[in-house]
Amino acid sequence: MRFTSEQRLDDGVLEREFTLGEIPGILWTPASASASAPAPLILLGHPPLGLRKMYPRLVARARHSAAEGFATATIELPGSGDRPRWPAAEQARADLRRAMEAGEPVSDEIVDALILPLVEKAVPEWQAALDALLSLPEIGGPVGYSGGVISIGIRLSVVEPRIVAAGFFAGSFVPRAMFEEARQVTIPLHVLLQWDDEGNDRQTALNLFDAFGSKEKSLHANMGGHTGVPQFAGEAAAQFFTRHLK
């Protein structure tokens, strides 16, 4: 891990951009974090739209988490931002747009092509980032995962024992194969669902929640579309992580 820039935000949060090989990322640590008082870590997932485009939402989440005493970090997903183009992913996105613009159902084939290769590439990168982040003296466990492409979160929750709690947003397409993996998830889960999400099949989201194998799982459904998440929903998620990471 190589840090490439550093700035102190006005609330005292330290923001550092880094590269991990060819993968860009950002780490935010609260002012209180130090080698003698390392902060618990939350990995901030996000859709494959690029860190630059997602930055305003990511830094807002990071600052909110820092106020609760958490460090947060994120990395650029494969094929996104300034990373090399990924022709297969771009074709899958084009097929998805074409189906949605035509008002057609999104086929399982499109969903599989869009999500499954992304999961296969992204999860090992998240694990490598976690290795590097936990080697820093100001970062400690336990670790949580929050938001992003829900299938990536599912796979990470199954294969990465250092992640002890996860907050998912039921707002992305889910391949049928991921339902079997969902049954293997056993960590505490906080799942947010926007009831009128225009890009998400509500019944699929409910079926996925039912499939999760966790003994502690809660579903928080609010009225409104994909971008209409109420502020208090974020506060409930923060309380969830405080319970499980502190």
Side-chain angles (χ1 to χ4, degrees):
M1 173 181 282
R2 182 173 67 90
F3 289 107
T4 57
S5 71
E6 177 179 313
Q7 66 169 328
R8 184 75 66 174
L9 306 183
D10 56 16
D11 53 3
V13 174
L14 179 62
E15 177 184 281
R16 287 174 284 178
E17 296 186 4
F18 63 85
T19 57
L20 188 66
E22 300 300 318
I23 305 168
I26 310 173
L27 169 64
W28 295 272
T29 48
S32 59
S34 66
S36 59
L41 176 66
I42 299 175
L43 303 177
L44 297 183
H46 54 90
L49 300 176
L51 285 183
R52 291 181 183 177
K53 184 172 182 178
M54 292 300 301
Y55 176 81
R57 290 165 61 183
L58 287 166
V59 72
R61 291 164 63 190
R63 294 173 83 152
H64 192 275
S65 295
E68 302 296 326
F70 298 114
T72 51
T74 193
I75 58 174
E76 189 74 86
L77 291 175
S80 297
D82 294 329
R83 296 189 64 181
R85 296 298 92 195
W86 187 7
E90 293 184 349
Q91 181 61 54
R93 291 171 191 164
D95 292 342
L96 173 65
R97 285 193 299 270
R98 190 177 303 113
M100 296 185 73
E101 289 170 0
E104 300 171 354
V106 178
S107 69
D108 289 345
E109 290 76 13
I110 292 176
V111 173
D112 287 355
L114 184 70
I115 302 298
L116 293 178
L118 179 62
V119 172
E120 293 293 334
K121 287 178 176 285
V123 166
E125 294 181 352
W126 272 114
Q127 291 182 290
L130 187 53
D131 290 341
L133 291 162
L134 289 178
S135 72
L136 300 173
E138 67 272 28
I139 305 296
V143 180
Y145 177 87
S146 174
V149 178
I150 195 170
S151 293
I152 293 176
I154 291 170
R155 175 70 60 82
L156 273 171
S157 298
V158 172
V159 304
E160 182 46 74
R162 292 172 292 185
I163 295 176
V164 302
F168 292 153
F169 181 56
S172 54
F173 294 102
V174 182
R176 293 184 184 275
M178 296 306 301
F179 279 74
E180 187 56 40
E181 292 196 38
R183 295 182 178 91
Q184 302 174 48
V185 175
T186 58
I187 61 175
L189 296 179
H190 178 101
V191 183
L192 178 63
L193 170 65
Q194 285 299 102
W195 201 248
D196 305 301
D197 193 329
E198 57 279 5
N200 185 43
D201 183 89
R202 182 193 305 160
Q203 191 58 52
T204 297
L206 295 174
N207 292 344
L208 180 64
F209 179 79
D210 190 48
F212 286 126
S214 303
K215 291 182 179 179
E216 181 186 335
K217 57 180 180 180
S218 57
L219 179 67
H220 300 255
N222 296 288
M223 303 303 292
H226 188 82
T227 59
V229 180
Q231 181 177 346
F232 62 78
E235 295 168 356
Q239 293 169 1
F240 166 80
F241 283 115
T242 296
R243 286 199 309 275
H244 292 287
L245 301 186
K246 286 192 170 181

